[in-house]
Amino acid sequence: LTVEQSVALLSCLIFDEKPTDDDPAQGLKSHLSGPYYKLIELARSVAKVAISCKIELNEDEFVEKFNPGLMEAVYAWCKGVKFVEVQKLTGTFEG
């Protein structure tokens, strides 16, 4: 992964708004959707191991916590796109 892809992927860990679509990664460009789907695959693996270790966890709820809603904006920001243009990539409040 490039630095920009890595930072965009990390945004999935902190963006806590609920996705509005069934597939929150729908519309992501391939250079971001590939890493996102790999993250989801690994998150499912982690959840399954946690459950097998008798840790109370709902696999689907755990995986849904990884929200790609800011990936495009974070990627663009890292690439040096002006803030006003970055804001157009997401409907999220910038504060």
Side-chain angles (χ1 to χ4, degrees):
L1 295 177
T2 66
V3 170
E4 295 87 353
Q5 287 172 307
S6 299
V7 175
L9 193 59
L10 287 172
S11 74
C12 296
L13 304 177
I14 58 138
F15 187 51
D16 59 0
E17 285 190 18
K18 292 279 184 198
T20 56
D21 297 330
D22 288 337
D23 181 6
Q26 185 178 8
L28 279 180
K29 295 178 180 140
S30 63
H31 63 274
L32 295 176
S33 65
Y36 172 73
Y37 287 122
K38 184 65 176 177
L39 172 67
I40 294 305
E41 178 185 325
L42 292 171
R44 284 204 184 280
S45 295
V46 167
K48 287 176 181 171
V49 169
I51 292 166
S52 74
C53 292
K54 308 292 186 228
I55 296 174
E56 237 181 86
L57 181 70
N58 181 300
E59 180 180 336
D60 291 330
E61 286 178 9
F62 179 74
V63 170
E64 287 171 5
K65 290 181 180 182
F66 299 94
N67 186 345
L70 286 180
M71 285 185 75
E72 292 279 356
V74 170
Y75 182 82
W77 183 253
C78 289
K79 285 293 217 179
V81 174
K82 291 186 180 200
F83 186 71
V84 71
E85 297 301 317
V86 171
Q87 283 182 301
K88 294 176 185 176
L89 296 172
T90 181
T92 303
F93 179 66
E94 50 98 2

